[in-house]
């Protein structure tokens, strides 16, 4: 009888704990999703309804989307964001993968110091770099060009990609490269034909995060561009207006910017979860 009572008590305790975890998780989920829900629903409202009736009144209209999608400046900014995001991601993945490969597979002095130097570059605040970049790009005539903003985004994406890929390259057994060398493969062939396919999950996740960081980046785009290379975040900020925010168009444009984020993260979530579980930098890269 005492054993049965203890079992029932433990079962009740587990039920209470599970219920509390569910309630806390649901609360956190609601708090996190509420701003996104408000933005999405506000895109289907008139400005007067947003101003006068608050965030929970909903009488849908497509007027804000019609105005945003007929705005050529916003559409050009979206195109610029896609070009900048795709280009900076591709460059960052190639360069970052080669750097991670070198740091994990070769033995040389100051390897660990070099790796942490890359991490230090990533930790420097953007606000402290944007003015020197502005002066340099202005001198090189790269200001307000897609090339300039791509290089600016590459500067903060490469260190991130390097450190994200280090555990993936370190986890590849040395037997693979030794077997490839025995078969007469060159270093270039070993990298592209052996390691690149083996670390493809890490490359996918690194590409996702690099693209999203470039897609959402605002400060560099605000300072280093004006008209020709302006990206979507700056264009969305332009809907704030000179005298009063155009809330309908502002939230509609923000919702359009959310679409690639949702599509990419939902379609590649299994790779992202795998990397988050794998997490942490292994010690093999130091050997």
């Amino acid at each position: 009888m005492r054993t049965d009572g203890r079992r029932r008590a433990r079962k009740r305790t587990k039920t209470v704990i599970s219920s509390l975890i569910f309630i806390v998780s649901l609360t956190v989920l609601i708090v996190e999703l509420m701003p996104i829900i408000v933005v999405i629903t506000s895109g289907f409202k008139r400005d007067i309804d947003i101003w006068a009736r608050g965030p929970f009144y909903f009488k849908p209209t497509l007027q804000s989307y019609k105005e945003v999608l007929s705005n050529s400046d916003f559409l050009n900014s979206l195109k610029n964001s896609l070009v900048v995001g795709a280009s900076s991601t591709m460059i960052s993945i190639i360069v970052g993968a080669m750097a991670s490969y070198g740091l994990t597979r070769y033995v040389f002095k100051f390897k660990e110091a070099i790796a942490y130097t890359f991490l230090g570059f990533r930790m420097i605040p953007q606000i402290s770099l944007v003015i020197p970049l502005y002066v340099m790009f202005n001198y090189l005539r790269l200001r307000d060009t897609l090339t300039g903003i791509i290089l600016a985004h590459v500067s903060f994406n490469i260190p991130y990609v390097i450190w994200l890929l280090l555990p993936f390259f370190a986890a590849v057994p040395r037997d693979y490269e030794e077997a490839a060398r025995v078969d007469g493969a060159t270093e270039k062939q070993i990298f592209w034909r052996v390691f690149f396919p083996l670390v493809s999950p890490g490359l996918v996740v690194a590409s996702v995060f690099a693209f999203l960081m470039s897609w959402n980046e605002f400060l560099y785009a605000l300072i280093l561009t004006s008209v020709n290379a302006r990206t979507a975040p700056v264009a969305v900020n332009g809907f704030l207006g000179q005298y009063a925010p155009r809330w309908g168009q502002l939230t509609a444009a923000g919702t359009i910017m959310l679409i690639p984020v949702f599509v990419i993260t939902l379609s590649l979530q299994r790779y992202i979860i795998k990397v988050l579980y794998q997490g942490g930098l292994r010690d093999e890269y130091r050997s």
Side-chain angles (χ1 to χ4, degrees), residues 31-47:
V31 171
E32 292 291 334
L33 290 180
M34 185 57 65
I36 299 176
I37 294 173
V38 170
V39 168
I40 293 174
T41 56
S42 296
F44 294 96
K45 299 178 184 179
R46 300 181 303 167
D47 286 355

Side-chain angles (χ1 to χ4, degrees), residues 6 52 57 65 82 97 107 120 133 156 182-183 191 218 249 252 281:
R6 290 174 181 174
Y57 175 82
Y65 280 95
L82 289 173
V107 178
L133 284 176
F156 62 74
V182 170
D183 290 337
F191 175 74
F218 178 76
Q249 297 179 47
L281 178 65

Side-chain angles (χ1 to χ4, degrees), residues 45-212:
K45 299 178 184 179
R46 300 181 303 167
D47 286 355
I48 186 63
D49 292 333
I50 298 173
W51 279 103
R53 299 179 182 270
F56 300 107
Y57 175 82
F58 189 66
K59 185 179 179 181
T61 176
L62 295 176
Q63 184 61 36
S64 295
Y65 280 95
K66 291 179 182 178
E67 294 175 353
V68 168
L69 294 176
S70 62
N71 189 322
S72 59
D73 290 337
F74 177 72
L75 296 179
N76 287 333
S77 298
L78 272 180
K79 182 185 70 174
N80 290 340
S81 284
L82 289 173
V83 172
V84 171
S87 301
S88 63
T89 298
M90 181 177 63
I91 296 172
S92 300
I93 290 299
I94 293 175
V95 177
M98 289 190 290
S100 293
Y101 173 78
L103 289 171
T104 54
R105 314 313 292 192
Y106 294 107
V107 178
F108 53 89
K109 290 184 178 180
F110 310 115
K111 181 170 68 172
E112 186 175 346
I114 293 173
Y116 281 102
T117 300
F118 285 126
L119 181 62
F121 287 155
R122 185 65 183 86
M123 296 172 66
I124 298 175
Q126 284 185 315
I127 191 65
S128 64
L129 297 175
V130 67
I131 301 303
L133 284 176
Y134 179 90
V135 174
M136 181 173 63
F137 285 179
N138 193 50
Y139 176 77
L140 296 174
R141 297 183 180 180
L142 291 175
R143 190 177 67 84
D144 197 25
T145 64
L146 291 178
T147 302
I149 194 66
I150 288 170
L151 292 176
H153 286 191
V154 164
S155 69
F156 62 74
N157 270 337
I158 286 180
Y160 180 84
V161 170
I162 290 173
W163 272 80
L164 185 61
L165 293 179
L166 279 176
F168 288 92
F169 280 103
V172 177
R174 294 191 176 274
D175 295 340
Y176 287 96
E177 56 184 311
E178 291 174 359
R181 287 194 176 95
V182 170
D183 290 337
T186 63
E187 291 297 325
K188 183 178 179 180
Q189 291 173 330
I190 292 173
F191 175 74
W192 288 108
R193 297 184 181 181
V194 177
F195 280 87
F196 224 70
L198 290 174
V199 300
S200 56
L203 295 173
V204 171
V205 176
S207 300
V208 169
F209 284 111
F211 179 83
L212 293 182

